[in-house]
Amino acid sequence: MPESNNISNQPEVFKNTLTELFENNYDQIMENSSGKIKSLRQKAFGIFKKNGFPGKKTENWRFTDLNHLFRNDFIIDFETKSQKVDISNIFTCDVYDLDTYCVTLINGWFAYNNSPLTKLKNGTIIGSLYKAMEIYPEIVEKYLGSIAKLNEPGFVPLNTAFMQDGLFIYVPDNVKVEKPVQVINIVDSQKPVFLQPRNLIITGKNSNLTLIHCDHTLTHNISFTNTVSEVIVDQNGYVDHYKVQNKGRNSSLITSLFFKQEKGSKLFNNAITLNGGFTRNQVDLLINGENCSANLNGLYLMDNNQHVDNQVFVDHKAFESLSNQLYKGILDDQASGVFSGKVLVRRDSQKSQAFQNNKNILLKDDAKVNTQPFLEIYADDVKCSHGATVGQLDPNAMFYLRSRGLSERTARQLLMYAFAGEVVNKISVEPLRENIIKLVEKRLKGELSICDQCILSCNSREPKFIQNIVD
Amino acid sequence: MLSIKNLNVSVEGKPILNGLNLEVKDGEVHAIMGPNGSGKSTLASVIAGRDYFTIEQGEVTYMGKNLLEIPPEVRAKEGIFLGFQYPVEIPGVSMTNFMRTAINEKRKHQGLKPLSGAEFLKLMEEKKKLVKIESKLANRSVNEGFSGGEKKKNEIFQLALLEPKLAVLDETDSGLDIDALKVVANGVNMLKRKDNATILITHYQRLLDYVIPDVVHVLFDGKIVKSGGKELALELEEKGYNWITKET
Ligand SMILES: Nc1ncnc2c1ncn2[C@@H]1O[C@H](COP(=O)(O)OP(=O)(O)OP(=O)(O)O)[C@@H](O)[C@H]1O
Ligand SMILES: [Mg+2]
């Protein structure tokens, strides 16, 4: 890579290196930013410089140790731009029955076969954020940074200061995007890289979008990705958003996903974490209009010493809306998990309904999970509930299954799969659900390799039918 | 087929079975009766291979093998079936998937080819009719939301599918309406062959009107204190257990 920079060691040192890096590469970073975006970056940079990274005492970071992130000689690359590459050289995506607009980010940069920004017949624009800054500055200016919170320490301001490229989608009013958009984030580098992709998704009034976000590593090398996404769902819009993460054990991923829903809109978000050395997913939802519904689901299946941290925050800022969180996890070996779900129902948000549930299964004594469901309610006419469980596989159910001739292993798999199924079965795009079911089954059988390049069975030659879970 | 000699079993240091003896031969139907807490379910669980009991003493031989050394799933594949007193609800595991897996595991064990999806469905339909179980039950998750009686019927459905050699039915007749009771009895009778056997654990003589037992045992305080013909059940119904305890 041309003009790369080594950065290293401990939060303070790491922070200083990054601030220096920002200052030294200022012109390049600002290159295609309009005035408004420039000042957004500067503001974000100022906040990062002042606050630095979150520490063990920072709220919402107490159970997730970041130190390993500051230890490696990461490389930040300012030079590579969106590139025209033959993606099929890297992998081919032939998702069974699932016809998608498939786009790819390689090391945070948009990769394309024809053009970095495509405008579909219905007016939908899909492509590179970097390019969109240049071609559609008025849209980008209006929305970029509009809902991502800069006041929290660390990663969102950092991303906002440094962001270069990422996925840009603009769906005009009254457009139903028929095919799901699938974006595949690939980390593929021989050197340890630090990537900060930025995604901006805008769906107009009465519009529809299904977006599948897949995170992969094609390398066993150390990598660190800090992604920020902003997703705006305008009035009566419908967004079905998936995040499927299957990353190498040496990869670290921090994603901050901000949603804003306007009146009458519907949102589904599914975060499926199958593998990943270190994964932190923050979902921040602002319900800004009445009669919205939001379903936020998560599934995490961790083993070895993987760590996963899900942070969910829902702000009911309008009345008569519904939010429903269901996060489930299975932790094996010494894996660790964190769930923190917070719902805020503001005083005027009467008739809100907010439900929250986190269920965990620990398969080994050394596995652990820290769960904190939390409701903060200022309105009096609301329906809210929260709950969290941590347990083992039900021994009575295990015996029942075994007493009919199922091996211990098969019985465990069936029970684990049933547990995970509650989340997976909520996936409404059928071929996607079937693919994810297959992946979850494989994962629970211990057969899912992180080298299965595309989470949606890209590059796979295996038979395309849903296998019975039991072998 | 099954031979239990001087079986002593405890849970957490508390003795539950105290020197129990039982011989079941091919083709026989045995009924075991006894007051609540006398150890009937414990006996059934030990035969099926539940592991939270401690076997303090004694032996259990099934088809000439030391049963106590065999894991529960292998016992099942060798033909042992336990109809649970309290069938377990398993949300998210479909009856169909469960039974297909169970049957194919057993077939594998017997060196037979697994049933194809179509073959299995055909078999299911057949057995559903036999035990008069509603299709919708078979399509649901294992016992989830089933009524008490439906759960018991579902045990018989599984019994019919798995065709065990030795069935131990733990109060499968409790909580059943008259029609369902006949279905259960029918299931047992239909299964009856020269080379298999059934142990019926029951509190009620009425089941024994439909399934005629060869031997009736009274289990009391962890051991079998009296055995007799089917008239023993009638006597128990009439006189209660006090009569036996006084006698012993
Ligand atoms: N897992 C256990 N832990 C502790 N005690 C147990 C356990 N299982 C059974 N017991 C005790 O062992 C004794 C026998 O129980 P068991 O369930 O075998 O009785 P039963 O004859 O089947 O009674 P019922 O007619 O009520 O079904 C009871 O006192 C019961 O409390
Ligand atoms: Mg009992």
Side-chain angles (χ1 to χ4, degrees):
Chain A
M1 286 182 207
E3 214 178 294
S4 47
N5 301 276
N6 282 333
I7 48 183
S8 73
N9 268 334
Q10 300 313 313
E12 211 38 41
V13 185
F14 193 42
K15 180 188 129 182
N16 292 338
T17 324
L18 286 167
T19 50
E20 252 168 59
L21 206 60
F22 184 86
E23 279 151 1
N24 295 343
N25 292 278
Y26 186 83
D27 291 340
Q28 187 143 26
I29 293 170
M30 292 293 180
E31 192 189 45
N32 72 337
S33 299
S34 67
K36 258 187 103 172
I37 304 296
K38 266 193 188 124
S39 47
L40 175 69
R41 283 183 194 281
Q42 272 159 347
K43 185 178 161 205
F45 178 69
I47 292 170
F48 175 71
K49 197 168 173 177
K50 182 161 158 276
N51 295 341
F53 289 103
K56 281 241 109 168
K57 295 209 178 82
T58 315
E59 182 65 25
N60 297 333
W61 286 96
R62 281 187 296 143
F63 303 103
T64 290
D65 187 1
L66 291 169
N67 271 330
H68 71 283
L69 292 178
F70 309 132
R71 276 202 293 264
N72 300 301
D73 288 347
F74 285 120
I75 290 163
I76 293 193
D77 184 5
F78 295 105
E79 195 60 27
T80 318
K81 295 291 174 248
S82 286
Q83 45 184 321
K84 197 176 168 94
V85 289
D86 186 356
I87 295 160
S88 62
N89 280 341
I90 301 168
F91 66 83
T92 54
C93 197
D94 53 356
V95 181
Y96 176 60
D97 265 0
L98 181 64
D99 192 9
T100 63
Y101 299 108
C102 191
V103 297
T104 312
L105 297 177
I106 300 173
N107 296 332
W109 292 92
F110 201 83
Y112 54 91
N113 279 327
N114 301 310
S115 151
L117 264 182
T118 308
K119 191 165 186 170
L120 308 178
K121 275 200 214 88
N122 59 25
T124 301
I125 304 160
I126 300 175
S128 146
L129 178 67
Y130 182 87
K131 200 72 189 170
M133 287 187 196
E134 207 175 288
I135 301 181
Y136 303 104
E138 64 300 340
I139 304 179
V140 175
E141 272 179 10
K142 184 169 171 200
Y143 294 103
L144 190 67
S146 68
I147 53 172
K149 289 177 182 161
L150 287 182
N151 52 1
E152 286 164 17
F155 297 96
V156 178
L158 182 64
N159 176 289
T160 306
F162 279 88
M163 62 188 170
Q164 297 274 282
D165 204 359
L167 177 68
F168 173 77
I169 299 181
Y170 176 77
V171 186
D173 291 351
N174 307 312
V175 169
K176 310 234 176 304
V177 183
E178 276 157 36
K179 292 192 211 176
V181 178
Q182 182 186 7
V183 53
I184 300 171
N185 280 313
I186 294 173
V187 178
D188 185 13
S189 170
Q190 295 313 304
K191 295 183 193 145
V193 281
F194 180 25
L195 310 172
Q196 305 206 67
R198 178 77 174 219
N199 306 311
L200 179 62
I201 320 296
I202 303 135
T203 48
K205 298 186 178 67
N206 308 310
S207 290
N208 246 359
L209 176 71
T210 297
L211 178 60
I212 306 157
H213 232 106
C214 304
D215 288 310
H216 296 279
T217 38
L218 292 190
T219 158
H220 292 285
N221 292 317
I222 288 164
S223 68
F224 173 22
T225 306
N226 171 31
T227 307
V228 175
S229 305
E230 293 174 283
V231 180
I232 284 130
V233 193
D234 211 336
Q235 291 180 18
N236 300 314
Y238 175 96
V239 168
D240 197 0
H241 187 265
Y242 298 88
K243 214 155 196 348
V244 186
Q245 298 167 329
N246 192 35
K247 310 242 317 170
R249 307 222 188 283
N250 284 326
S251 74
S252 300
L253 177 62
I254 294 182
T255 72
S256 308
L257 180 51
F258 295 89
F259 290 105
K260 180 177 166 189
Q261 280 186 263
E262 298 295 351
K263 193 170 147 183
S265 63
K266 284 193 169 61
L267 170 69
F268 286 85
N269 187 53
N270 299 275
I272 313 250
T273 310
L274 298 165
N275 268 306
F278 170 94
T279 308
R280 162 127 171 163
N281 292 317
Q282 181 193 353
V283 173
D284 185 305
L285 165 63
L286 170 63
I287 298 179
N288 204 41
E290 66 265 29
N291 290 315
C292 290
S293 76
N295 280 284
L296 308 176
N297 303 318
L299 176 68
Y300 40 97
L301 308 172
M302 302 279 110
D303 60 11
N304 290 297
N305 39 25
Q306 301 181 12
H307 178 77
V308 62
D309 177 347
N310 280 293
Q311 300 278 328
V312 185
F313 175 63
V314 179
D315 183 353
H316 278 262
K317 208 180 165 185
F319 58 94
E320 263 182 274
S321 284
L322 162 80
S323 71
N324 199 349
Q325 295 173 38
L326 177 66
Y327 273 73
K328 297 184 92 171
I330 301 176
L331 299 132
D332 201 351
D333 304 322
Q334 303 90 263
S336 53
V338 178
F339 174 80
S340 162
K342 186 172 165 187
V343 176
L344 168 65
V345 181
R346 295 181 189 243
R347 213 179 53 207
D348 297 329
S349 306
Q350 296 297 0
K351 299 210 176 338
S352 289
Q353 296 186 60
F355 307 107
Q356 202 180 39
N357 207 337
N358 175 232
K359 300 183 196 170
N360 298 281
I361 286 180
L362 304 181
L363 295 176
K364 301 267 165 65
D365 288 346
D366 288 338
K368 56 175 184 279
V369 68
N370 200 293
T371 170
Q372 296 174 299
F374 189 64
L375 299 171
E376 197 177 328
I377 300 166
Y378 298 102
D380 47 24
D381 182 15
V382 297
K383 227 196 235 165
C384 297
S385 72
H386 66 145
T389 56
V390 179
Q392 281 83 43
L393 292 176
D394 176 7
N396 290 325
M398 278 295 291
F399 181 66
Y400 192 76
L401 296 173
R402 290 179 71 192
S403 79
R404 301 295 185 243
L406 276 61
S407 70
E408 193 171 357
R409 187 165 166 263
T410 305
R412 282 166 73 94
Q413 278 166 6
L414 265 184
L415 292 182
M416 288 194 292
Y417 180 64
F419 179 83
E422 196 189 348
V423 174
V424 178
N425 290 333
K426 287 180 190 284
I427 295 172
S428 55
V429 184
E430 200 186 317
L432 178 66
R433 181 175 65 238
E434 285 175 8
N435 275 293
I436 289 180
I437 285 172
K438 208 162 64 182
L439 281 163
V440 167
E441 285 176 358
K442 260 175 116 177
R443 177 66 179 86
L444 293 176
K445 280 189 191 175
E447 288 168 4
L448 181 70
S449 142
I450 56 125
C451 299
D452 287 353
Q453 293 183 358
C454 176
I455 211 72
L456 295 169
S457 40
C458 301
N459 228 13
S460 76
R461 302 277 173 272
E462 65 189 37
K464 302 288 193 186
F465 54 83
I466 300 296
Q467 270 181 307
N468 206 318
I469 156 125
V470 176
D471 44 15
Chain B
M1 174 177 302
L2 180 74
S3 163
I4 301 179
K5 293 206 176 94
N6 189 30
L7 184 63
N8 286 266
V9 171
S10 68
V11 177
E12 289 158 6
K14 178 188 161 200
I16 298 177
L17 299 181
N18 309 301
L20 185 140
N21 297 297
L22 181 68
E23 290 289 330
V24 179
K25 297 205 179 63
D26 287 9
E28 290 182 342
V29 175
H30 288 236
I32 297 181
M33 305 180 82
N36 295 134
S38 57
K40 302 180 299 297
S41 295
T42 303
L43 172 65
S45 304
V46 168
I47 294 172
R50 188 86 211 225
D51 62 1
Y52 59 57
F53 301 101
T54 314
I55 314 288
E56 305 284 354
Q57 238 193 88
E59 48 188 74
V60 181
T61 318
Y62 169 71
M63 314 265 295
K65 285 180 201 153
N66 177 3
L67 194 63
L68 300 176
E69 281 178 347
I70 305 174
E73 60 269 27
V74 180
R75 298 184 195 193
K77 289 186 282 197
E78 297 267 323
I80 289 182
F81 179 91
L82 171 62
F84 284 65
Q85 182 175 1
Y86 305 109
V88 185
E89 297 199 15
I90 313 182
V93 174
S94 78
M95 254 330 277
T96 315
N97 195 9
F98 173 35
M99 277 300 106
R100 184 173 169 200
T101 310
I103 283 183
N104 283 339
E105 293 271 322
K106 186 165 178 177
R107 290 179 66 90
K108 195 157 90 190
H109 188 75
Q110 296 167 327
L112 299 170
K113 274 212 320 253
L115 292 184
S116 70
E119 286 166 328
F120 174 73
L121 288 179
K122 195 166 151 250
L123 182 69
M124 275 245 296
E125 285 311 314
E126 221 172 83
K127 304 294 182 182
K128 265 194 267 187
K129 280 201 200 95
L130 193 79
V131 303
K132 302 199 171 71
I133 191 167
E134 282 183 63
S135 273
K136 64 176 205 294
L137 287 184
N139 294 336
R140 273 158 57 177
S141 289
V142 179
N143 294 321
E144 192 191 20
F146 287 26
S147 75
E150 286 169 342
K151 281 181 186 162
K152 296 296 171 84
K153 265 185 157 181
N154 195 25
E155 296 293 287
I156 296 299
F157 177 52
Q158 294 172 48
L159 172 93
L161 278 166
L162 293 167
E163 298 184 330
K165 245 184 123 48
L166 174 66
V168 182
L169 303 181
D170 191 355
E171 295 196 29
T172 306
D173 57 329
S174 296
L176 290 183
D177 60 46
I178 285 293
D179 292 337
L181 184 72
K182 283 183 191 157
V183 166
V184 169
N186 232 340
V188 175
N189 287 331
M190 230 159 339
L191 190 81
K192 196 169 167 172
R193 289 199 313 248
K194 278 206 300 292
D195 61 343
N196 58 22
T198 307
I199 298 174
L200 297 172
I201 295 173
T202 181
H203 285 297
Y204 307 105
Q205 195 276 333
R206 58 171 194 171
L207 174 68
L208 306 178
D209 286 342
Y210 300 100
V211 187
I212 312 297
D214 298 293
V215 194
V216 176
H217 306 276
V218 180
L219 183 62
F220 186 81
D221 215 2
K223 52 176 170 285
I224 288 175
V225 294
K226 196 171 177 67
S227 303
K230 68 177 194 314
E231 56 303 334
L232 178 57
L234 285 166
E235 216 172 340
L236 283 170
E237 183 106 330
E238 218 174 281
K239 302 185 186 164
Y241 291 110
N242 273 345
W243 153 68
I244 301 266
T245 49
K246 276 189 202 123
E247 198 170 86
T248 47

